[in-house]
Amino acid sequence: MNIAENLRLINYNISKALERSGRRDSVKLIAVSKTVPVDLILKAYTAGQKVFGENRVQEWKQKVNELPEDCEWHIIGRLQTNKVKYLNNRVALIHSLDRFNLLEKLNEEGEKRGLVWKTLLQVNVAQDEAKAGVGTEEVEDFLTTAKDYPFVSIIGLMTIGKLDAGPEETRLYFRGLRELRDKILKKGICDFQTFHHLSMGMSQDYELAVEEGATLVRIGSSIFGERHYN
Ligand SMILES: *Cc1c(COP(=O)(O)O)cnc(C)c1O
């Protein structure tokens, strides 16, 4: 497994997918480093990858101190409210705002510390029982309510495809998330300046996601190999 080589291939595939879809904007690659030991993360860093995603707060806390300061960290996994207190301003973006009480908790903790969390609203487009996220039909209300929580800024939407879905089905979920964003913008519930990100696409389906408008892709195993357990 050559991490630098993997990164190069993925970046190439992303640029090709951007071209195919005629997009002129860019995509941020988030290297999902959950369960990956620090020495391997450093290999990615040395190859130029500075943006990483973790899904367990404790694991992230340990790693953040062992890795260079210019790493950008994203929290991508389900976030328990009792873990919010361990987060700090090293977190660039929380992808997994998926319920109201997490919004409340983040706001409370942000107010205490005088910082505004950047987040994405996780939407369960695929209506997958196994997945977190608000339902498509709840998104507008959630975003409207969230305006009363000044220490949480929702800058876009995130989704996870269904595990056993084929590419055609997965594409529809990704398209669904983009259309949802566009509807929200059109209705003026949010404006493009502050709200336009789409976090979608993982190792299996990131090219599809880029074709459908992803601005953030979250890729783990295609970079670091099958999950590491330590
Ligand atoms: C693990 C994980 C990923 C990366 O998955 P791969 O299939 O290894 O690319 C992306 N998003 C979330 C939310 C994850 O938990």
Side-chain angles (χ1 to χ4, degrees):
M1 210 56 171
N2 185 329
I3 289 172
E5 199 65 29
N6 294 345
L7 281 166
R8 216 162 45 155
L9 179 65
I10 290 164
N11 280 309
Y12 175 78
N13 290 340
I14 289 173
S15 68
K16 283 287 160 195
L18 277 170
E19 256 173 50
R20 277 198 298 282
S21 53
R23 288 178 57 188
R24 302 238 176 106
D25 59 338
S26 61
V27 174
K28 183 178 272 190
L29 168 60
I30 298 161
V32 176
S33 52
K34 63 186 184 198
T35 78
V36 177
V38 165
D39 58 321
L40 293 187
I41 302 177
L42 267 174
K43 288 200 169 134
Y45 178 86
T46 308
Q49 179 66 31
K50 302 279 160 75
V51 186
F52 298 96
E54 288 281 338
N55 69 344
R56 289 211 188 82
V57 174
Q58 274 108 328
E59 187 182 332
W60 167 71
K61 268 295 233 207
Q62 279 202 323
K63 287 174 176 174
V64 74
N65 294 318
E66 297 176 34
L67 285 152
E69 292 229 353
D70 63 340
C71 288
E72 176 179 313
W73 293 98
H74 292 233
I75 299 293
I76 61 166
R78 186 165 170 89
L79 182 53
Q80 291 171 267
T81 48
N82 64 2
K83 300 283 156 52
V84 169
K85 59 177 180 282
Y86 301 116
L87 301 178
N88 57 34
N89 61 5
R90 292 300 314 277
V91 176
L93 183 62
I94 298 165
H95 292 231
S96 43
L97 172 58
D98 60 355
R99 60 201 191 279
F100 186 70
N101 72 342
L102 182 57
L103 172 67
E104 283 187 311
K105 186 69 193 176
L106 284 168
N107 192 69
E108 183 189 315
E109 205 62 41
E111 179 163 24
K112 252 189 227 165
R113 304 182 204 188
L115 64 86
V116 178
W117 306 106
K118 279 198 180 141
T119 68
L120 302 172
L121 180 58
Q122 183 173 349
V123 187
N124 193 353
V125 185
Q127 295 179 292
D128 184 344
E129 292 282 328
K131 291 278 149 58
V134 303
T136 304
E137 66 296 335
E138 299 166 75
V139 169
E140 289 183 20
D141 281 348
F142 197 104
L143 291 171
T144 304
T145 306
K147 291 180 181 179
D148 296 331
Y149 294 78
F151 298 95
V152 178
S153 168
I154 303 179
I155 66 167
L157 304 174
M158 178 272 219
T159 200
I160 304 176
K162 221 186 215 161
L163 195 63
D164 51 4
E168 294 308 314
E169 191 182 349
T170 300
R171 183 185 289 281
L172 293 180
Y173 299 141
F174 292 160
R175 186 171 298 168
L177 195 72
R178 168 166 50 90
E179 288 172 350
L180 190 56
R181 177 201 61 187
D182 293 344
K183 191 169 83 176
I184 289 156
L185 293 173
K186 199 165 169 211
K187 285 189 169 179
I189 296 166
C190 302
D191 70 279
F192 187 87
Q193 287 300 323
T194 53
F195 176 95
H196 68 270
H197 282 289
L198 295 174
S199 168
M200 54 192 195
M202 320 196 335
S203 291
Q204 294 311 312
D205 50 27
Y206 69 92
E207 289 162 276
L208 280 177
V210 171
E211 286 172 13
E212 294 299 333
T215 64
L216 302 153
V217 291
R218 312 175 307 266
I219 302 181
S221 48
S222 291
I223 297 170
F224 295 109
E226 289 311 310
R227 222 66 83 207
H228 300 73
Y229 293 96
N230 38 11

